[in-house]
Amino acid sequence: MVSFWEILSPSFLLFPALLGSVILAFVCPLVGAHLMLRRRVFLGLTLPQIAACGVAGTFWLQHALGFTHGSGGERLLATAGSLVFTLAGMGLLAYLDRRATGSPEGRLAAAYALASALTILFIVFNPAGELEILNLLKGEVISLSKEELKLLAIVYGVVYVGLVLFRREFLLNSFDRDLSFLLTGGSAQWSFWLYVLCGFSIAIGVIMAGPLLVFGFMVLPPLAARTLARGMSSFLSLSSLIGIFIAVLGFYLSVRLDLPLGPTDVAFGCVVIFAVYAVQSILRRGGGVAGLIVFILTLCAGCGARRSEAPLDLSTLGKGPVWLSSVRNGTGSDLRLPATNPLRSLGEMAGKLPPESRPTVMDLLRGSLQRELQHRQIAVSLPEERDVRLQSFPFDAVSAAANARTANLSGWLWLWEIRRWHTDGRSPLRTVVEMQLVRIDNGGVSWQRQIIKTVPLSGAARLDETSADAIRDILREVFGA
């Protein structure tokens, strides 16, 4: 398992994703705080959806004009569409605020509904690029490249500098536009520049991290900071600090529990808001300061602690044979490995070789462990070689041992199941494998592990190469070397 301090190391595999999350969490709360001061917090929900609509609309336009999807430049095209739609939508909403009558919240709700509907329709109209569009809309910050991280840092650095340099003008314009006109010479221009900075941050953020995470960072930290701040400077500072806290702890929970990063950050941000209100309630009643300090120290100690999981002790096996059951595929996905032999590929295309005959991740995993145990002088057998009915076992230890006894097997039974083995071709391969070593005579579990691994995609590596790297890492965890 990964400890809290390991994810803070620059050598950690997913450190660029953590750095990208921290950049988003540092700047987005400042943008959301200004929108909250202007009583336009729903812009934080509407504008990311408009940006997502721009991504889908741009790909639909590319398809309608006859350009081939997958010809390259999809990321740049999506960024341009997101930026154009965001700035246009923000300009239209700002114009309606000044000219139209009615409720601003109603207009934002209508804009959000329209953008959501158009996003779905654009995807339906362009089925050829549906997968790429959905990946871009999902915005996996976990797969940020160094170039994308550099772009994110530059854009958000410019936004942050603008918000800091003209902080007085933006705040004054948010509180009192008439006084802002008298002191600064024009309220409309400061609203315009604030919306421009918001538009750039949202448009780029949606491409890099997805609308959900951008909305969460824009709204949740300012909501938590509002109850703690005693002035405007502390409100803005606390918003960014709470955002960084949510990003770092949410990233740790995502890696530790193998959860998607965006939803984990947002859910943890909501927990932080409830915790802030609960702590404030305790402090108002008095006598809660000591309890609060103990809680914070306990939380930090829990994050820093690393749960030790013992590797397999080969001495417990004794002389009894180890029966390696077939690896169960609990992912629901096809884990067949790509064919590396061009003649085999031609045979499959001609229909002379069935694709089912290709090796799978399960075959590769079982064969690697079999060779490793034999190398360590452990007697290893396959159950189906003794009885063809034993092609698979349930993952329940008692039931599996009972099945083994009916076939007159003795010794040890190795059960395992792949819970996750996934990559979209850009993000690292993420794997979760459950293992149990069961005594056949009584069904007792003498050793079990859940091994979670994240393996980078190096260059143009195929799935079989990356899977082999992951299996080597898994075996190191099993044997502790």
Side-chain angles (χ1 to χ4, degrees), residues 129-397:
E130 180 177 353
L131 181 60
E132 180 67 21
I133 295 171
L134 291 177
N135 285 334
L136 288 171
L137 292 183
K138 187 172 60 174
E140 280 291 351
V141 69
I142 203 75
S143 61
L144 276 180
S145 65
K146 291 183 179 179
E147 291 74 18
E148 292 168 342
L149 183 61
K150 190 180 298 183
L151 174 63
L152 183 68
I154 292 174
V155 172
Y156 274 63
V158 171
V159 172
Y160 176 74
V161 170
L163 292 175
V164 171
L165 288 180
F166 304 104
R167 170 175 166 271
R168 173 177 170 271
E169 288 80 5
F170 289 148
L171 291 177
L172 186 60
N173 182 254
S174 299
F175 278 112
D176 193 331
R177 294 186 180 182
D178 295 332
L179 183 60
S180 173
F181 178 78
L182 293 175
L183 296 180
T184 63
S187 61
Q189 67 175 6
W190 293 115
S191 296
F192 169 78
W193 287 115
L194 177 62
Y195 284 148
V196 167
L197 293 177
C198 293
F200 271 91
S201 62
I202 291 173
I204 300 300
V206 165
I207 290 297
M208 301 298 177
L212 175 63
L213 191 58
V214 172
F215 172 67
F217 280 147
M218 288 181 63
V219 174
L220 299 179
L223 283 177
R226 186 176 61 178
T227 63
L228 301 174
R230 294 295 178 266
M232 195 52 57
S233 297
S234 62
F235 173 57
L236 296 176
S237 302
L238 277 174
S239 296
S240 290
L241 291 177
I242 293 175
I244 294 175
F245 174 78
I246 293 173
V248 175
L249 267 295
F251 182 87
Y252 170 72
L253 292 174
S254 172
V255 173
R256 186 68 180 265
L257 303 176
D258 192 35
L259 298 173
L261 181 58
T264 304
D265 280 345
V266 173
F268 181 67
C270 294
V271 172
V272 169
I273 293 177
F274 290 129
V276 167
Y277 280 98
V279 168
Q280 272 206 328
S281 177
I282 293 174
L283 293 178
R284 286 196 191 102
R285 297 175 183 176
V289 177
L292 177 61
I293 294 175
V294 172
F295 171 76
I296 293 175
L297 293 177
T298 304
L299 179 63
C300 294
C303 291
R306 179 171 182 171
R307 182 166 58 108
S308 61
E309 292 188 90
L312 176 63
D313 185 4
L314 297 178
S315 62
T316 61
L317 300 178
K319 298 182 179 180
V322 177
W323 299 89
L324 291 184
S325 68
S326 299
V327 185
R328 295 173 58 88
N329 181 5
T331 65
S333 304
D334 183 10
L335 297 182
R336 284 195 295 267
L337 296 171
T340 57
N341 187 342
L343 296 178
R344 181 183 184 85
S345 300
L346 292 174
E348 289 184 8
M349 295 173 60
K352 297 180 179 179
L353 291 175
E356 292 78 10
S357 61
R358 268 189 283 146
T360 64
V361 171
M362 291 76 74
D363 298 330
L364 186 62
L365 179 57
R366 185 162 75 152
S368 299
L369 181 62
Q370 182 181 10
R371 289 189 296 272
E372 185 66 29
L373 288 173
Q374 290 172 343
H375 176 71
R376 295 170 183 265
Q377 307 302 318
I378 303 297
V380 182
S381 300
L382 304 182
E384 63 270 22
E385 294 177 350
R386 171 70 67 85
D387 192 330
V388 293
R389 296 173 299 176
L390 300 179
Q391 296 291 333
S392 64
F393 286 87
F395 197 64
D396 177 68

Side-chain angles (χ1 to χ4, degrees), residues 417-429:
E417 182 176 38
I418 297 178
R419 299 291 176 85
R420 184 174 184 181
W421 203 279
H422 174 73
T423 178
D424 58 6
R426 295 182 64 251
S427 57
L429 174 66

